[in-house]
Amino acid sequence: MASYTPTSSATKAGSKNGRTKKTAAKAGAKNGKKQSTAPVATYSGRGSQTIVRKSNDLIQNAMYSLSLSQQKLMLHIFAMIKPSDTELPRYEMSIYEFLKLCGVDPHNGSMYKQVKKNIEDIANAKVQWIRLAGTQKITMFRWLSSATIDEGTGKIVLTLDQSLKPHLIQLKEFYTTMNITYTLPMKSQYSLKIYELCKSYQNLYLTKKQKGEPLVWNIETLKKQVDCNAANWAHVRRTVLDKAKSEINGHTDIYFDYEVYEKDRQRVIAIAVTIEPVDKQVADDKLNEITKSMSSKVRSKKNKLTLAETGTLDDDPNVLTLEYVSVPETTIPYSYGATPEMLRQELEVKAELDKLARELTADEMEAVHTIIGAMVKMAGTPRGNDKMIDGGNAHFFQTMNNVIDNCGGLRRWFEGAATRYAAKVIPVARTKSAPLPYLSRAILEDLENYRLYVVGGMPEELEDEYPETPDIVETTDFVETDAEPVNQLEPDDAATKKEITAALLRYIDREALSARLTTGQMEAFEDILQMTAYFCRRNVKGKDDGMMEGKANMQFLDALNKVIARYESLTILFEAMAVMMDYDTYWKDLMKNPKIKNPKLVFQSEVEKALLMPSAVIGAYTARRDQNDSGRPARKEYNWTKVFEEE
């Protein structure tokens, strides 16, 4: 039998008046007992309930860190509270029923270990009240006062902390009601939190709308509410707001949108949000779609899938998610690589052909269709060491979906690239003995370097993140065949940090760099090398999902292998990065800038960007070097630190 109690020695109430519940909290933490009047909530009796009632304070002012699956589990538990309850229930269920609450295949015996880990994580997760302006008071408590797992009987008993009672029991005013079924398809923990916030602010939004006033969210407060440590506005927009907008509008009973409301120079301070209810019939149709999707997934996955060895329930392929929703700004699943005609239709949706036709010539539109045809073939074709997932080339889908995610679709990329493909790339491809490999390599590289091609230059939000993007640099011809170099970085090279460092040095002429670079540049090189070794093995939950092969992060290995394939070396890439991040200038500027609180984090972020877009880095560096050698004025240096000045 395993028992878990919160590690905190004191528990404080989260009610508005801040009164402490020391007696009840200590009793619950010590032996898990509740008052005799507390009801017992069982899965068989209440597991089908889907309506959650939470105080607005608990939604808007509580600050905590829970994974997506843990958030969903707590919502399921809260849904088992009835409006008639006068005390918090004691939850009793089997491990089998607990897994069903998590939306996980309960027939997988290996899940027991993860059940214990998730319950322990929830039991020890602190909840802290966001400090309001002008106050010094901070309230902290935990979700659970006790948790018991009996592997002998397969029974779980959970007891909520009494601090939650005023926020869940007998609510009369200032509370939010929501159907948790709408949250089941969500894949982002931020989407779920944004959805709860929207529901809690919806009445206020509608009231302000009638008065002609905006509902404004402060960005710093929002980051605390959703537990996001984003470095800048572009990160908040891309990973929090845009992802939430896509999932909320695609699956729920509300429509969410936002626009920048207030800026301090380039720093976004606040946004004005839109929270409109959708038509009741549309909302009901979405509920039915989610329910049907869940049922079909349970039937198809039963007894087939197992939990990943690492990570939490979020990593489990058995977690139920809704099928793909087709709109220009949503990414495309790997499975479309195995269905060419469906993928062609999806690419045409992402390209928004009707809008392109109004901007491009007939020849350019023909080039767009040629590119789409090549992309369809690339998506379902394994190349070299590329990993295949659900019938799709993982590297291709990751590269393409990155463009879709950052640009709201593919239209702006197609519009910017069409002229070049119509005038040069496609005509040259037709002269090759193997046209498709040539064209495919061109497309993949241009997708990787999409910032060079998006029409009209960089959008404002991307300019904040990638200032002064270099001009388009002509690239050398691509290799004509599918043959891969014999010697490349392999997943086994990343077994240890020492091994991946040695593998990288096989492709770097350190003596040549030492002869060409200054002392400050060589210092930068040594640190860049160590940081690269870290990225080649990095496994950050969520950020690197689907990119790991053993200990190797294939996203970075694949990017480096492309440089090796072209230059038979990594020397040029590391030389470019070392010059751009010359410690005699770059690091001194970081240290002197009072707005940069964590110079090391800035450095790490810039190394990561350079490794993921090596062709642009090398192209900009070699073009600038050639200009200097020819006596022409040097191109303006890339301002690596501008994006962080807003912090």
Side-chain angles (χ1 to χ4, degrees):
M1 179 182 293
S3 295
Y4 304 97
T5 56
T7 55
S8 175
S9 59
T11 306
K12 296 184 179 181
S15 58
K16 292 181 180 178
N17 57 18
R19 291 178 298 174
T20 59
K21 307 278 186 179
K22 292 183 179 179
T23 303
K26 287 182 179 179
K30 189 176 293 185
N31 54 28
K33 293 182 179 179
K34 305 255 317 162
Q35 299 178 8
S36 59
T37 56
V40 175
T42 63
Y43 181 86
S44 57
R46 301 188 179 188
S48 61
Q49 294 176 192
T50 61
I51 303 301
V52 166
R53 297 168 183 83
K54 297 172 67 173
S55 74
N56 290 344
D57 275 351
L58 186 59
I59 295 174
Q60 298 171 7
N61 296 329
M63 183 169 57
Y64 54 88
S65 295
L66 290 179
S67 70
L68 177 62
S69 65
Q70 291 165 357
Q71 288 184 62
K72 290 180 179 180
L73 173 61
M74 293 308 298
L75 285 179
H76 277 294
I77 290 175
F78 294 156
M80 292 168 68
I81 297 173
K82 291 184 176 181
S84 58
D85 288 340
T86 58
E87 297 292 336
L88 288 172
R90 182 178 74 252
Y91 298 90
E92 296 183 359
M93 66 197 77
S94 67
I95 293 179
Y96 179 95
E97 292 167 339
F98 177 86
L99 294 175
K100 291 179 69 175
L101 274 181
C102 295
V104 177
D105 179 7
H107 298 278
N108 182 358
S110 65
M111 286 302 303
Y112 281 65
K113 183 177 180 180
Q114 288 300 319
V115 167
K116 289 191 288 187
K117 183 181 186 304
N118 275 268
I119 289 180
E120 186 174 15
D121 288 346
I122 293 172
N124 290 324
K126 290 188 297 185
V127 183
Q128 179 174 316
W129 236 236
I130 295 174
R131 181 183 293 181
L132 301 178
T135 67
Q136 299 298 316
K137 187 174 184 179
I138 300 176
T139 302
M140 290 184 286
F141 57 92
R142 297 181 188 273
W143 295 110
L144 302 177
S145 63
S146 70
T148 302
I149 304 174
D150 189 335
E151 294 187 19
T153 62
K155 186 177 181 180
I156 295 175
V157 179
L158 303 176
T159 305
L160 291 177
D161 194 293
Q162 285 296 309
S163 302
L164 289 166
K165 181 178 176 180
H167 302 287
L168 299 171
I169 299 296
Q170 293 288 304
L171 299 176
K172 304 299 182 183
E173 60 180 0
F174 306 121
Y175 69 94
T176 296
T177 300
M178 56 188 161
N179 190 325
I180 61 173
T181 306
Y182 290 120
T183 68
L184 296 180
M186 293 181 179
K187 299 178 182 179
S188 166
Q189 66 187 69
Y190 302 128
S191 297
L192 197 153
K193 287 190 175 183
I194 293 287
Y195 176 69
E196 285 192 311
L197 287 171
C198 286
K199 294 292 288 186
S200 70
Y201 284 116
Q202 189 171 10
N203 287 337
L204 178 60
Y205 163 78
L206 295 174
T207 300
K208 285 182 169 289
K209 181 182 177 182
Q210 288 182 340
K211 298 178 181 179
E213 301 174 356
L215 175 61
V216 178
W217 287 357
N218 177 273
I219 293 299
E220 289 305 313
T221 300
L222 179 64
K223 286 163 63 175
K224 293 179 182 178
Q225 289 172 317
V226 303
D227 186 37
C228 172
N229 296 319
N232 52 59
W233 160 246
H235 188 181
V236 175
R237 173 191 57 77
R238 184 173 63 251
T239 63
V240 178
L241 293 169
D242 286 353
K243 185 69 173 177
K245 177 180 174 181
S246 176
E247 294 197 317
I248 290 171
N249 295 348
H251 308 311
T252 76
D253 56 342
I254 60 173
Y255 171 81
F256 167 67
D257 203 356
Y258 69 93
E259 60 182 12
V260 174
Y261 181 78
E262 183 180 359
K263 273 188 172 185
D264 179 10
R265 298 180 183 176
Q266 291 301 312
R267 183 185 181 188
V268 176
I269 297 176
I271 57 173
V273 298
T274 299
I275 311 171
E276 295 285 352
V278 303
D279 181 78
K280 185 178 184 305
Q281 185 59 53
V282 174
D284 289 344
D285 289 344
K286 290 181 179 180
L287 280 179
N288 292 333
E289 184 181 358
I290 294 171
T291 303
K292 287 171 60 178
S293 176
M294 288 173 55
S295 300
S296 63
K297 285 180 180 289
V298 169
R299 288 193 299 268
S300 64
K301 292 180 177 179
K302 191 173 182 180
N303 288 323
K304 291 183 180 179
L305 296 174
T306 58
L307 180 69
E309 292 181 358
T310 60
T312 64
L313 295 176
D314 293 329
D315 303 311
D316 194 323
N318 298 309
V319 174
L320 301 174
T321 56
L322 193 67
E323 296 300 334
Y324 167 71
V325 177
S326 176
V327 290
E329 66 271 16
T330 57
T331 54
I332 306 176
Y334 295 126
S335 58
Y336 275 58
T339 54
E341 192 52 42
M342 290 179 63
L343 178 59
R344 182 184 297 276
Q345 294 174 12
E346 283 306 309
L347 289 173
E348 290 174 351
V349 169
K350 308 304 181 192
E352 299 179 88
L353 293 181
D354 55 336
K355 295 181 181 179
L356 284 180
R358 294 195 292 267
E359 302 293 334
L360 303 181
T361 66
D363 289 344
E364 290 168 345
M365 281 303 297
E366 183 180 350
V368 169
H369 287 291
T370 300
I371 295 171
I372 289 175
M375 291 172 72
V376 168
K377 294 180 180 178
M378 294 165 65
T381 305
R383 295 174 59 85
N385 296 324
D386 287 350
K387 184 178 181 181
M388 298 296 288
I389 300 177
D390 292 339
N393 184 304
H395 178 63
F396 170 79
F397 274 96
Q398 290 162 5
T399 304
M400 174 184 64
N401 282 335
N402 184 50
V403 180
I404 294 172
D405 191 42
N406 286 325
C407 297
L410 293 171
R411 177 179 60 83
R412 298 177 67 246
W413 179 83
F414 272 113
E415 190 172 344
T419 302
R420 175 171 170 261
Y421 275 75
K424 180 178 179 181
V425 178
I426 294 175
V428 171
R430 288 172 178 159
T431 67
K432 304 292 183 180
S433 59
L436 184 59
Y438 175 88
L439 185 58
S440 297
R441 290 174 184 271
I443 293 170
L444 190 59
E445 180 153 320
D446 290 342
L447 285 171
E448 290 173 341
N449 301 317
Y450 68 92
R451 297 177 185 88
L452 302 177
Y453 298 97
V454 288
V455 68
M458 298 287 285
E460 181 180 356
E461 61 271 22
L462 287 179
E463 285 179 350
D464 288 344
E465 187 175 7
Y466 300 97
E468 300 179 25
T469 303
D471 297 334
I472 295 177
V473 179
E474 286 293 334
T475 58
T476 58
D477 281 349
F478 295 90
V479 180
E480 292 185 33
T481 69
D482 288 325
E484 296 289 343
V486 175
N487 296 316
Q488 287 204 323
L489 295 170
E490 300 289 345
D492 290 345
D493 290 330
T496 66
K497 184 178 179 180
K498 183 177 180 180
E499 289 181 48
I500 189 60
T501 302
L504 291 169
L505 287 172
R506 290 202 305 266
Y507 300 98
I508 300 172
D509 189 339
R510 186 181 239 157
E511 292 184 4
L513 289 181
S514 181
R516 288 199 294 266
L517 301 181
T518 66
T519 301
Q521 291 166 353
M522 279 303 295
E523 289 178 1
F525 162 75
E526 297 295 346
D527 281 354
I528 290 169
L529 177 64
Q530 296 304 313
M531 192 62 65
T532 303
Y534 158 74
F535 280 118
C536 287
R537 289 169 42 83
R538 186 188 69 180
N539 186 1
V540 178
K541 185 182 175 309
K543 194 169 187 178
D544 300 320
D545 286 349
M547 299 176 185
M548 301 304 297
E549 186 170 330
K551 295 285 187 179
N553 189 312
M554 297 309 297
Q555 182 182 24
F556 291 93
L557 257 63
D558 288 344
L560 291 171
N561 280 335
K562 284 181 170 54
V563 178
I564 295 172
R566 171 166 293 184
Y567 299 98
E568 299 182 354
S569 166
L570 291 173
T571 303
I572 184 65
L573 173 61
F574 279 83
E575 180 178 346
M577 289 193 289
V579 171
M580 290 177 179
M581 302 179 204
D582 185 344
Y583 273 11
D584 287 338
T585 54
Y586 171 85
W587 195 254
K588 287 182 179 179
D589 289 342
L590 288 183
M591 298 299 291
K592 288 190 301 183
N593 193 330
K595 296 181 180 179
I596 297 178
K597 300 176 182 178
N598 191 337
K600 186 175 180 180
L601 184 62
V602 178
F603 173 74
Q604 177 178 319
S605 176
E606 296 309 328
V607 172
E608 178 182 12
K609 292 174 189 174
L611 292 175
L612 292 178
M613 46 186 293
S615 296
V617 173
I618 294 171
Y621 170 67
T622 54
R624 183 168 60 249
R625 184 185 61 190
D626 292 345
Q627 287 176 332
N628 289 336
D629 291 344
S630 65
R632 288 178 291 175
R635 185 177 301 182
K636 187 177 181 180
E637 288 286 342
Y638 182 87
N639 188 347
W640 294 93
T641 61
K642 182 178 178 181
V643 59
F644 295 91
E645 291 179 358
E646 63 185 50
E647 290 301 318

